[in-house]
Amino acid sequence: SWCGPCHGRSGQGGGPVAASLKTAPPDLTQLQERAGGTFPEDEVRQQIDGRNLPGAHGTIEMPVWGYWFTLHETAAGLLQEDRDTAEKEVQKRITRLVEYLKTLQK
């Protein structure tokens, strides 16, 4: 639901909004191949989160999901009560996405 609009159901970049983007979304089934045969887990995690990407890398069209997921936890009432708990939930969500992306590799 979060990635499909741009990356498509298959993860290959053909989502319904992909054509409207300045830069085509990458094929998420090729991450491991493009990284020389080893899945780049830390880089993928950082890219999904987006909150700590270096400014020198310029702007990206991909949403900063770490902020979005934090907003989701805020709506669930966790952030006001316990920021650590909310951040743990954000990291769990990102971990699940990274694990899913590993299963898509060709």
Side-chain angles (χ1 to χ4, degrees):
S1 64
W2 299 97
C3 309
C6 297
H7 295 283
R9 286 182 179 260
S10 68
Q12 295 177 312
V17 300
S20 67
L21 300 173
K22 289 169 95 176
T23 305
D27 181 344
L28 300 177
T29 68
Q30 300 296 314
L31 298 172
Q32 184 168 306
E33 183 177 316
R34 287 195 309 262
T38 302
F39 185 79
E41 186 170 336
D42 290 336
E43 292 85 1
V44 171
R45 177 181 302 284
Q46 289 176 6
Q47 188 70 39
I48 292 169
D49 187 326
R51 292 179 289 179
N52 296 312
L53 290 176
H57 288 196
T59 61
I60 58 171
E61 288 188 83
M62 188 169 130
V64 179
W65 290 116
Y67 289 131
W68 282 102
F69 297 154
T70 299
L71 288 173
H72 182 267
E73 295 307 324
T74 300
L78 291 177
L79 190 60
Q80 290 84 8
E81 294 175 17
D82 185 349
R83 289 182 183 270
D84 290 335
T85 300
E87 183 59 25
K88 286 176 186 173
E89 292 302 313
V90 169
Q91 292 306 315
K92 283 183 196 177
R93 184 181 299 260
I94 292 171
T95 296
R96 287 191 301 267
L97 284 169
V98 170
E99 293 300 318
Y100 174 69
L101 289 173
K102 284 182 186 179
T103 70
L104 295 179
Q105 301 311 295
K106 293 184 179 181

